[in-house]
């Protein structure tokens, strides 16, 4: 239970928004226009399952249409409610503005425990939910483009895309009605791991700025940093895996639904992930390090804490006990407004959700563009690029022969340089660039203004400023 003075998720987002607009020079009317959620649709529909009619409740909330289509995932979870989808839709508006994806913000959810149904039943339910949204233009390539979120993935997105295509047989852009699809249904390489990859790129960029690293009382780079990850779902798993395998970070703690494991020597992410897939929980993996009370592990000793599961896990209840000097919000809204205040006063550096987990929507944007252009990235230029590189290699080989022993090409250079970029490389490069630039935009405000003391307010100021100018351009 949340303490009485703990605001709801939606209120938390508004409080954070208010803290930022207080430092901006917007008219009260425009401020209010940006803050409010434009519309939230509730759909109730019945599906006949196991001989009985079951009624489901779903939502699609549209926060801001300053740009269209609006964008944001669809979540399948029992806790889904109007307050939650509205908070998440608002965060999508700010997130898209911050990373310059040309979308407004939206979010959807279905109140369901997906683990209670088999695949066929889930398909029926998903298609029916999609039908309800499609016929109201709440799924549409030009107006509202969902994506995966908690409890949904490629499979559900493929069903939604197919449902849209069946209902819009002449829409040549039908595949762009949803992102996060499997590759064979119009998806893009690198989308599955995009949010986790974005968390990695965000941390890499943070550690490129020693001044920022020092604010968290840390130094050096990611190598050897002790990390605790809460939630080893799609986002947490990929972030932990990449940080451990590619940056030398040490994953010392993993928290899941049924408890947590902590080992100062470091944990094997891949093995734990496999265990989780098989057994559904951490129990039994490494009994010596297992603690049933996973939440306690949020307060354990580490350098970087990555809440990657759901909102409100760091609240008034436990904020005081958090020892991590750096928190990166891989989930949406994991820190409540009250906890945020406590942590700020303690000097904890928080890399905020709207930036930290924007990798997903960034690659969704690339997928949407791919679908609209009807061609895979790199298809036209790859071989041409290789041919030009070949010219340079030929020249270098001539030089190599001429210089004899004095100089020679590094053995792997030729192979690496010759190869033109494929779709995955282009997606990664676009994501890396996006994460670097958005961080730099935030830090300019963080360091450039005396009245801004944290990255969250800086992020809100950047994104609200962009949304405001887009409304102003429309004459509002
Ligand atoms: N559900 C993800 C998020 O919260 C992805 C949204 C998208 O790709 O549209 O950002």
């Amino acid at each position: 239970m949340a303490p009485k003075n703990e605001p709801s998720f939606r209120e938390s987002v508004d409080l954070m928004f208010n803290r930022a607009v207080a430092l901006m020079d917007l008219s009260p009317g425009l401020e209010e226009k940006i803050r409010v959620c434009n519309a939230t649709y509730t759909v109730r529909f019945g599906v006949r399952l196991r001989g009985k009619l079951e009624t489901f409740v779903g939502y699609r909330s549209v926060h801001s249409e300053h740009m269209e289509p609006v964008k944001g995932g669809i979540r399948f979870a029992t806790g889904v409610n109007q307050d939650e989808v509205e908070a998440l839709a608002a965060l999508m508006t700010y997130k898209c503005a911050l990373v310059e994806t040309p979308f407004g913000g939206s979010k959807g959810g279905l109140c369901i425990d997906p683990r209670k149904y088999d695949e066929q039943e889930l398909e029926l339910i998903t298609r029916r939910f999609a039908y309800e949204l499609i016929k109201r233009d709440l799924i549409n390539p030009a107006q509202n483009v969902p994506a995966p979120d908690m409890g949904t993935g490629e499979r559900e997105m493929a069903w939604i895309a197919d449902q849209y295509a069946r209902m819009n047989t002449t829409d040549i852009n039908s595949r762009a009605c949803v992102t996060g699809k499997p590759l064979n249904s119009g998806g893009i390489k690198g989308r599955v791991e995009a949010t986790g990859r974005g968390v990695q790129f965000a941390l890499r960029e943070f550690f490129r700025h020693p001044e920022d690293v020092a604010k968290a009382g840390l130094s050096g780079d990611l190598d050897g940093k002790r990390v605790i990850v809460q939630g080893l779902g799609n986002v947490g798993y990929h972030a932990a895996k990449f940080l451990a395998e590619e940056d030398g970070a040490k994953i010392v703690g993993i928290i899941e639904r049924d408890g947590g494991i902590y080992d100062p020597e470091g944990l094997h992410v891949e093995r734990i992930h496999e265990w989780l897939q098989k057994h559904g929980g951490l129990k039994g993996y490494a009994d010596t390090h297992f603690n049933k009370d996973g939440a306690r592990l949020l307060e354990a000793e580490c350098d970087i804490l990555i809440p990657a599961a759901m909102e409100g896990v760091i609240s008034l209840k436990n904020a005081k006990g958090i020892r991590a000097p750096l928190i990166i919000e891989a989930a949406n809204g994991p820190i409540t407004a009250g906890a945020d205040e406590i942590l700020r006063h303690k000097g904890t550096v928080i890399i905020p959700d709207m930036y930290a987990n924007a990798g997903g929507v960034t690659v969704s944007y690339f997928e949407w563009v791919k679908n609209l252009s009807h061609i895979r990235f790199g298809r036209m230029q790859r071989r041409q690029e290789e041919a030009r590189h070949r010219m340079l290699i030929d020249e270098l080989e001539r030089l190599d022969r001429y210089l004899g022993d004095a100089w020679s090409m590094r053995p792997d250079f030729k192979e690496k340089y010759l190869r033109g970029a494929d779709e995955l490389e282009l997606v990664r490069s676009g994501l890396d660039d996006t994460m670097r630039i958005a961080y730099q935009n935030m830090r300019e405000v963080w360091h450039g203004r005396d009245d801004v003391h944290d990255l969250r307010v800086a992020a809100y100021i950047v994104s609200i400023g962009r949304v405001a100018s887009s409304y102003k351009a429309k004459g509002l």
Side-chain angles (χ1 to χ4, degrees):
M1 269 282 280
K4 266 217 197 73
N5 49 348
E6 189 88 76
S8 74
F9 186 12
R10 177 78 244 245
E11 287 161 351
S12 239
V13 172
D14 281 351
L15 284 167
M16 292 169 177
F17 174 95
N18 291 346
R19 213 155 57 78
V21 286
L23 307 175
M24 297 175 78
D25 193 19
L26 298 181
S27 73
L30 186 55
E31 216 181 278
E32 179 67 4
K33 173 72 206 81
I34 297 173
R35 182 193 300 107
V36 298
C37 215
N38 288 3
T40 302
Y41 303 84
T42 309
V43 294
R44 298 184 184 83
F45 55 90
V47 183
R48 185 162 289 281
L49 300 165
R50 304 173 203 177
K52 271 203 328 254
L53 189 64
E54 260 192 74
T55 301
F56 294 90
V57 185
Y59 304 89
R60 186 81 182 155
S61 176
V62 176
H63 174 260
S64 175
E65 291 150 295
H66 66 289
M67 284 199 191
E68 280 182 311
V70 293
K71 189 96 191 69
I74 288 185
R75 120 177 348 189
F76 283 5
T78 45
V80 164
N81 58 59
Q82 182 167 345
D83 186 272
E84 185 189 60
V85 285
E86 289 189 354
L88 291 166
L91 281 175
M92 283 310 303
T93 297
Y94 309 133
K95 188 186 309 189
C96 290
L98 184 64
V99 294
E100 296 179 286
T101 54
F103 303 126
S106 182
K107 200 77 170 204
L110 186 65
C111 240
I112 187 179
D113 180 357
R115 283 165 306 178
K116 281 203 188 143
Y117 300 90
D118 65 28
E119 188 163 359
Q120 262 185 344
E121 293 170 329
L122 272 176
E123 180 174 351
L124 272 178
I125 301 164
T126 306
R127 281 186 183 273
R128 186 57 212 271
F129 183 32
Y131 167 83
E132 295 295 331
L133 298 180
I134 293 163
K135 74 172 184 189
R136 294 172 174 85
D137 280 336
L138 292 166
I139 296 179
N140 180 302
Q143 251 169 273
N144 198 325
V145 181
D149 200 79
M150 200 191 284
T152 57
E154 288 190 330
R155 182 183 64 174
E156 287 73 16
M157 301 307 117
W159 291 332
I160 294 174
D162 185 62
Q163 187 65 31
Y164 181 89
R166 285 187 192 188
M167 293 165 70
N168 296 274
T169 49
T170 56
D171 185 347
I172 194 170
N173 291 321
S174 70
R175 282 184 153 178
C177 77
V178 64
T179 58
K181 303 176 293 291
L183 212 51
N184 61 12
S185 316
I188 193 167
K189 286 197 178 139
R191 175 62 185 87
V192 174
E193 67 272 29
T195 314
R197 187 61 83 189
V199 172
Q200 175 197 31
F201 287 166
L203 278 172
R204 282 186 181 172
E205 180 58 19
F206 177 82
F207 278 92
R208 276 189 202 106
H209 302 277
E211 207 186 325
D212 302 2
V213 179
K215 277 187 186 272
L218 296 168
S219 59
D221 56 20
L222 279 163
D223 193 31
K225 292 285 179 298
R226 298 160 306 160
V227 178
I228 295 182
V229 185
Q230 186 250 348
L232 213 62
N234 180 40
V235 180
Y237 160 62
H238 283 110
K241 175 182 160 73
F242 298 148
L243 288 168
E245 289 175 3
E246 297 169 16
D247 298 288
K250 207 199 268 182
I251 311 298
V252 293
I254 290 178
I255 307 168
E256 259 295 324
R257 247 182 278 258
D258 65 332
I261 35 178
Y262 186 84
D263 184 352
E265 295 308 312
L267 296 161
H268 198 290
V269 178
E270 204 58 61
R271 259 186 247 141
I272 297 177
H273 186 248
E274 270 169 35
W275 178 274
L276 272 170
Q277 301 296 95
K278 240 205 196 129
H279 304 275
L282 289 174
K283 197 166 184 287
Y285 175 76
D287 286 334
T288 41
H289 304 296
F290 181 76
N291 185 344
K292 252 195 354 237
D293 188 6
R296 287 216 62 86
L297 211 55
L298 286 168
E299 299 170 41
E301 186 76 33
C302 67
D303 301 310
I304 308 171
L305 177 61
I306 312 186
M310 61 176 303
E311 62 265 18
V313 291
I314 301 174
S315 63
L316 289 174
K317 266 202 313 211
N318 59 358
K320 276 205 187 82
I322 302 285
R323 273 187 276 176
L326 175 63
I327 304 180
I328 177 159
E329 296 183 312
N332 288 307
I335 302 178
T336 65
D340 190 63
E341 196 174 331
I342 295 173
L343 291 166
R344 269 186 286 118
H345 284 130
K346 280 206 317 192
T348 313
V349 172
I350 300 169
I351 305 181
D353 47 6
M354 75 172 78
Y355 166 68
N357 68 37
V361 77
T362 300
V363 178
S364 274
Y365 168 43
F366 302 153
E367 179 176 336
W368 182 71
V369 171
K370 174 185 179 181
N371 294 151
L372 293 177
S373 56
H374 299 265
I375 189 165
R376 148 167 67 60
F377 287 110
R379 182 161 176 184
M380 299 292 280
Q381 63 272 45
R382 184 169 174 195
R383 303 297 166 192
Q384 193 264 355
E385 213 179 285
E386 284 181 7
R388 293 185 73 86
H389 288 183
R390 159 70 54 199
M391 282 163 61
L392 181 69
I393 292 288
D394 288 349
E395 279 306 287
L396 284 174
E397 278 177 341
R398 211 160 59 83
L399 189 67
D400 199 346
R401 282 192 298 274
Y402 174 73
L403 290 175
D405 288 342
W407 179 85
S408 66
M409 242 189 293
R410 268 186 285 116
D412 59 342
F413 171 77
K414 183 172 158 181
E415 198 195 322
K416 274 195 190 154
Y417 188 72
L418 263 182
R419 211 162 45 89
D422 64 9
E423 184 171 85
L424 183 61
E425 281 167 278
L426 291 169
V427 162
R428 273 197 202 152
S429 140
L431 178 58
D432 191 8
D433 188 54
T434 303
M435 297 309 288
R436 288 185 199 219
I437 290 178
Y439 185 81
Q440 287 156 20
N441 293 159
M442 285 191 303
R443 88 181 286 278
E444 262 166 44
V445 176
W446 186 25
H447 294 287
R449 289 180 56 154
D450 294 338
D451 52 357
V452 174
H453 308 292
D454 63 293
L455 276 167
R456 191 186 313 277
V457 158
Y460 270 100
I461 290 178
V462 174
S463 55
I464 296 168
R466 288 182 183 155
V467 177
S469 37
S470 139
Y471 273 126
K472 279 187 199 146
K474 288 182 180 197
L476 264 176

